[in-house]
Every structure is written in structure tokens, then in C-alpha cells.
Amino acid sequence: MSETIKSTLQNPLDKYPKPPFNKQPQQVPGLASKMDPQPDHGETSYKGSGRLAGRKALITGGDSGIGRAAAIAYAREGADVVINYLPDEQSDADEVIALIEAEGRKGFGIPGDITQEAFCGELVEQAVQKLGGLDILVNNAGHQQAVDSLLELTSQGFDTTIKTNIYAPFWITKAALPHLLAGSVIIATSSVQAYDPSENLFDYAQTKAANVAFVKSLAKQLGPKGIRVNGVAPGPVWTPLQVSGGQPQDKITEFGEATPLGRPGQPAELASIYVQLADDSASFATGQIYGAAGGNGHP
Ligand code: NAD
Ligand code: MG
């Protein structure tokens, strides 16, 4: 007699909190620890199976949100992980490093501002030194501030969005490239905003479209070197980026409601995509964008 296998079917509609949410303004960059409800980054749920054993990953924005979920999953799959974040996010970062180390993996935090070209170079060199190499680069950090009118969008605001979301991945990837051997991967976090831009995310949406072009172009350039380049295009996900000005507070209360699943995604729900794209088993996937948007948007 075969043992009865307990069904683990779970309805995605009831799996996580739904709107309405409380207004909860935070200063940029925001802390996951101050969010209500607390986001799920897979702290208690992600189970690894050795898919990334011995791999060496650098994840920008790895302290919170989608980057934290990727960091936890990578460590549980057997990778050593460096995370980058802003100095104000040290408390979030400390939690992630503790979770990585709890898996018996090496976890390092390298705080610093990636809108500075010199720091981007130092970040990569330090990461390579700490990890003894690098074969997974996740350009995930991002800056998003909703502005209703083009007339209110300042050059400084525009510049910070472009520097964080376009220049930093360029600088970091350029610094990393000499270290990436065949079999390495680069992963970008784009957005549904690349394909279906909101009226109040004029600058941000353009950068996320640029991230798609980054992936498509670089995949062609690096394919012959055996380096794969892919991207992830999330829909609304419950992270500090959104509550710290990524959305106006009156949109936070209904955040995610417009998706067919009727709720925002949680970072944990995207982690397996970052694992899949890094895993050698996905060796024919390059130049692709993987969506996770709860039913709306593209791709
Ligand atoms: P998040 O706030 O948890 O992560 C963003 C991270 O970017 C921060 O933790 C911070 O460490 C980092 N960052 C920002 N400016 C920086 C700078 N100057 N120097 C160094 N680090 C800096 O939010 P998230 O939503 O997980 O964001 C991760 C990525 O996901 C971003 O690229 C964002 O555009 C993208 N994204 C988010 C959503 C969403 O709904 N949350 C949807 C689509 C795409
Ligand atoms: Mg953060």
C-alpha cells in the first residue's frame, strides 16, 4: 500500500494578506521591519534542495523585499551571498545575514550608495574578495517615487531614479564582467512598469523598460561567452519601496487590489524565479523576462 500523500494545495487567493492596508509612510529607503503587515521573504517557508551548491552571489538591495527573498533562497540552495544596501538599512541587512549564516553559508553585507560609480567598482571587488569569486549577479536595487505631474518631477528626482536603476546596473555589471566565468548568470529586476507604465511613475517606468533592453542586449553580447542574462518583471509586491513613496499613501491602502488575485504579491512568491534563472538547469534561458504579477501586465 502506498502511503497517503497529504495534499499541499494552497489557494493563492487566501495565501497572503489582502487590502485594505493601513497607511504607513516611511522615509526612503524604508525598512521591512517597520511594515504592517510584515512582508514574507520566505524566512520560515523557503526550502532548498542544493540547486545552487557552491555558487557565489552578489545581490543589490538584498536587505529587504524581493532581494531579501532571493538572498534567503540562494543561501538555502547552497550559495554564499553578499548583499548590498544603503547604510540606513543595516538593521534589515543584519537579519538577512543572520538567516544566511543559519544555513551554514557565508553571508556578507557591504553597505554603500550605488548611485556613485566609484562605490560600484569597490562593491564588486570586495564581493569577489569575500566570496572568492562571483558567478551570480542580481541587479535588484531600485528607486521609485510616485509623482503625479511631470511639472512636479525635479531634475534631481529624475536623476536619482536613472542613476539607481540604469547607471548602477551598468557600473556594477561592467566591474563584475572580468570575474564572470562561463556558466555565470546576470539577473535584472525589471517591472510590469516596463510594459504597462502608470501615469505617476513616468521616470521609474522608463528605467524598468531600460532594464528589459539591458537584458535583451547583454544576453546577445554575452551568449557566446556562456554567460546568461535574464530579468524578472514583478507586479505589485509588498515591500518598503512601495510604502516609502513608491505609491501615494492612498494607493497603499488598496495596494494589489486591481490584480486578478486581489492582493499584492509577497517577496517570497518570487524567490523561486531568481533561483531558477541562476540554476544551471535553466541553461537555455537567456535574454528572457519572467513575469510574476498576479495576473495583470506583461510579459
Ligand atoms: P525594497 O525597498 O525592499 O528594495 C529596494 C532596495 O534598493 C532597497 O532595499 C535598497 O537597499 C536598494 N537601494 C535603493 N537605492 C539605493 C542606492 N542608492 N544604493 C544602494 N542601494 C539602494 O523594494 P523591492 O520592491 O523589493 O525592490 C526591488 C526591485 O524590485 C527594484 O528594482 C524595484 O524596482 C523592483 N520592483 C518592485 C516592485 C514592487 O511592487 N515592490 C514591482 C516591480 C519591480
Ligand atoms: Mg531595503
Side-chain angles (χ1 to χ4, degrees):
M1 285 289 283
S2 67
E3 217 178 300
T4 310
I5 295 169
K6 196 171 163 249
S7 170
T8 52
L9 262 190
Q10 202 165 8
N11 185 341
L13 297 176
D14 321 319
K15 197 171 168 187
Y16 284 114
K18 298 173 193 176
F21 299 111
N22 293 330
K23 292 184 182 178
Q24 46 191 292
Q26 288 194 49
Q27 293 296 309
V28 178
L31 288 175
S33 62
K34 289 189 177 164
M35 289 182 70
D36 166 33
Q38 283 284 292
D40 180 5
H41 309 89
E43 284 89 343
T44 59
S45 57
Y46 190 90
K47 290 188 177 60
S49 56
R51 294 181 69 181
L52 304 177
R55 300 287 295 271
K56 303 167 193 301
L58 167 59
I59 305 174
T60 63
D63 58 301
S64 59
I66 298 164
R68 182 198 284 218
I72 292 169
Y74 282 6
R76 294 202 180 148
E77 295 292 357
D80 294 332
V81 184
V82 168
I83 59 170
N84 160 253
Y85 46 87
L86 286 162
D88 286 350
E89 299 173 297
Q90 189 65 48
S91 60
D92 271 0
D94 287 342
E95 292 181 16
V96 179
I97 293 161
L99 285 161
I100 295 168
E101 289 176 345
E103 298 306 315
R105 305 313 315 171
K106 289 182 192 147
F108 303 99
I110 304 179
D113 183 353
I114 59 170
T115 65
Q116 306 299 316
E117 181 174 5
F119 173 71
C120 289
E122 288 162 26
L123 168 63
V124 171
E125 292 315 315
Q126 282 183 41
V128 167
Q129 209 169 19
K130 287 182 187 296
L131 295 168
L134 182 68
D135 54 55
I136 304 173
L137 170 61
V138 183
N139 285 306
N140 166 76
H143 181 79
Q144 173 185 332
Q145 288 291 292
V147 178
D148 283 337
S149 166
L150 195 65
L151 299 176
E152 292 159 17
L153 180 57
T154 63
S155 294
Q156 197 191 3
F158 190 84
D159 195 52
T160 303
T161 308
I162 305 285
K163 283 267 164 57
T164 314
N165 300 0
I166 299 181
Y167 272 88
F170 161 56
W171 289 326
I172 291 167
T173 305
K174 192 172 171 182
L177 213 43
H179 301 285
L180 300 182
L181 302 177
S184 300
V185 299
I186 299 168
I187 301 170
T189 304
S190 177
S191 169
V192 289
Q193 289 293 324
Y195 304 90
D196 187 11
S198 298
E199 62 276 22
N200 60 358
L201 295 175
F202 172 81
D203 54 344
Y204 174 81
Q206 292 182 65
T207 66
K208 294 288 128 176
N211 296 160
V212 172
F214 170 107
V215 165
K216 299 277 179 188
S217 170
L218 205 56
K220 289 176 183 155
Q221 192 181 124
L222 300 182
K225 296 188 192 306
I227 298 170
R228 297 185 297 113
V229 188
N230 292 290
V232 182
V237 182
W238 188 243
T239 69
L241 175 110
Q242 297 292 3
V243 301
S244 61
Q247 302 289 329
Q249 286 298 314
D250 56 4
K251 289 269 170 56
I252 288 298
T253 56
E254 60 193 45
F255 190 62
E257 194 169 62
T259 68
L261 295 184
R263 63 169 177 85
Q266 293 292 328
E269 296 181 279
L270 281 75
S272 65
I273 303 174
Y274 288 80
V275 170
Q276 170 70 5
L277 292 175
D279 186 344
D280 285 336
S281 69
S283 43
F284 202 55
T286 191
Q288 313 298 315
I289 306 290
Y290 285 58
N296 285 338
H298 313 276

